Amino acid sequence: MTVTFDRLKAFIQEALTKLGLPDSDAMTVAALMAEADLQGSDGHGVSRLPQYVRRIKAGGFNVRPDIRVVREQVSTALVNGDNGMGHLVMKRAAEIAIEKARTTGIAWVNSQYSNHAGPASLYATMPLAHDMIGLYFAVGNANHLPPWGGLDMLLSTNPIAAAIPAGDEKPIVLDMATTVAAYGKVKTKALRGEMMPEGWMIDREGKPLTDPKRADEGMLLPLGGMEAGYKGYGLAMIIGLLAGTLGGAAMGRNVIDFNHDDDSVTNTGQAIAAINIAAFGDVAAFKASVDALVRDFRNSERIPGVDRIYVPGERSHATRATRARDGIPIAPPLLRGLDQVAGDLGIAKLV
């Protein structure tokens, strides 16, 4: 089953409006959630709607938040999200970072009392339209990763994203978790009734865990896997300190597992930076240099069996074009869940 981007956005917006979000806020969140599905971030788009609905009904989200700056200097800001939906908080944080970077060259904005906001690339790419580089960091919304060599879940997938504009080429966009696989992918596998490949998760005895429905019994592996996972562990810790601890948000034992807790305030922390290219040189020359690098990488010599070398973001750009043309796929189990949401809220089904 496929749906158009506009239909998906309208469905999400109607659901959120029914739940009490102001029209403009519902429109903003719906557009960002549908955008996640359009670019292929299936674990962070409409598949999260049933969970958001549960949290809103349980009082876990503030549907009318007072999102505000609580600390500020010329190139920095700390945004209090007032427990609003993370999409709203991070869109505002990105706007502040962009505005500050116009005059300061570089701006860094942290958030506190935010929530899950979808894929990191949604926000890292916002500065691109202003000839800026975007960087995004976040503390994940549940801990699935222990310190290297340990068993206590004290870290999350803690994603990082970077977006760098190009000229004739598409922007370079890196969006990655600090674990081998993001937990959203685990949830997507469970929703589709698929097994996980070995190497994503292990159980508490260190054995491979491939059934996503048993994910609570195991732990995600950090980047580097069983042999060099200390690298992913270290990166997850640093990102958590930057995105969470620096802004007074939850980190470590204080992270709320929003997969199993619908009413507690998560105090999710995120950070976004905007870098104004014009502060360092000619924008057109920079973009031309990025174009040249992309082409050098793409046209470089390949090992046998490799048909094409990709740069970060190319697959998402291709997915976006395909889904804009052919529609966004909705798996049958997800559609059943969305039908239930529609029934509960008294709105028309998605399809």
Side-chain angles (χ1 to χ4, degrees):
M1 180 69 66
T2 60
V3 297
T4 66
F5 172 84
D6 288 340
R7 175 58 195 140
L8 186 62
K9 180 174 67 172
F11 174 78
I12 298 170
Q13 181 178 340
E14 187 175 8
L16 295 175
T17 301
K18 275 279 190 176
L19 289 162
L21 270 73
D23 290 344
S24 60
D25 286 354
M27 184 183 304
T28 295
V29 176
L32 289 168
M33 288 177 65
E35 181 73 18
D37 286 300
L38 187 66
Q39 71 179 26
S41 301
D42 296 339
H44 291 293
V46 72
S47 66
R48 296 282 183 161
L49 184 61
Q51 183 179 20
Y52 293 162
V53 170
R54 290 198 313 272
R55 282 193 63 80
I56 291 173
K57 287 184 173 182
F61 287 152
N62 181 358
V63 295
R64 293 181 177 269
D66 176 20
I67 300 170
R68 62 199 184 278
V69 174
V70 292
R71 293 182 70 92
E72 185 173 23
Q73 294 190 7
V74 64
S75 62
T76 63
L78 175 61
V79 173
N80 185 309
D82 196 24
N83 199 33
M85 295 195 71
H87 306 73
L88 300 173
V89 181
M90 286 318 298
K91 183 174 185 290
R92 180 70 183 123
E95 291 169 347
I96 294 170
I98 291 166
E99 189 59 34
K100 285 181 172 291
R102 293 186 197 280
T103 54
T104 63
I106 298 177
W108 181 287
V109 179
N110 269 78
S111 71
Q112 60 180 210
Y113 294 100
S114 181
N115 279 291
H116 184 267
S121 57
L122 288 182
Y123 309 100
T125 55
M126 287 182 177
L128 292 178
H130 306 274
D131 288 333
M132 297 181 186
I133 294 168
L135 302 174
Y136 174 92
F137 312 89
V139 177
N141 291 91
N143 286 341
H144 303 289
L145 178 68
W148 184 242
L151 289 173
D152 288 340
M153 302 298 178
L154 295 174
L155 288 165
S156 185
T157 56
N158 293 0
I160 179 174
I164 300 174
D168 295 329
E169 298 289 341
K170 296 288 187 182
I172 296 174
V173 182
L174 174 71
D175 183 346
M176 55 177 263
T178 49
T179 48
V180 173
Y183 196 71
K185 291 186 176 181
V186 176
K187 296 182 73 170
T188 299
K189 288 287 188 184
L191 189 62
R192 293 175 176 172
E194 300 171 352
M195 300 298 282
M196 299 182 293
E198 286 192 13
W200 281 18
M201 298 191 76
I202 57 174
D203 63 21
R204 295 180 67 84
E205 295 180 355
K207 297 177 181 178
L209 195 159
T210 58
D211 184 352
K213 294 181 179 179
R214 294 178 51 215
D216 289 344
E217 301 173 25
M219 62 193 79
L220 290 170
L221 282 171
L223 284 176
M226 294 296 290
E227 294 184 359
Y230 57 88
K231 296 180 180 180
Y233 152 61
L235 187 58
M237 183 177 181
I238 296 301
I239 289 175
L241 291 168
L242 292 174
T245 307
L246 181 62
M251 172 66 173
R253 295 189 187 279
N254 295 325
V255 170
I256 299 295
D257 185 348
F258 92 142
N259 295 302
H260 300 289
D261 184 335
D262 288 336
D263 55 10
S264 296
V265 175
T266 65
N267 189 15
T268 298
Q270 296 124 337
I272 186 162
I275 303 172
N276 191 341
I277 296 167
F280 297 88
D282 182 75
V283 173
F286 174 82
K287 289 182 176 181
S289 295
V290 174
D291 282 350
L293 284 169
V294 168
R295 291 163 188 160
D296 282 347
F297 286 15
R298 184 184 296 139
N299 298 323
S300 60
E301 187 174 1
R302 301 184 295 274
I303 62 175
V306 174
D307 295 327
R308 174 173 176 145
I309 293 174
Y310 291 88
V311 296
E314 277 194 288
R315 294 183 185 275
S316 291
H317 296 317
T319 298
R320 177 190 301 273
T322 299
R323 293 186 173 186
R325 182 190 66 232
D326 300 335
I328 297 168
I330 305 293
L334 173 57
L335 186 59
R336 289 193 291 271
L338 297 177
D339 286 347
Q340 183 174 345
V341 167
D344 290 345
L345 297 178
I347 63 176
K349 292 182 178 181
L350 178 60
V351 292

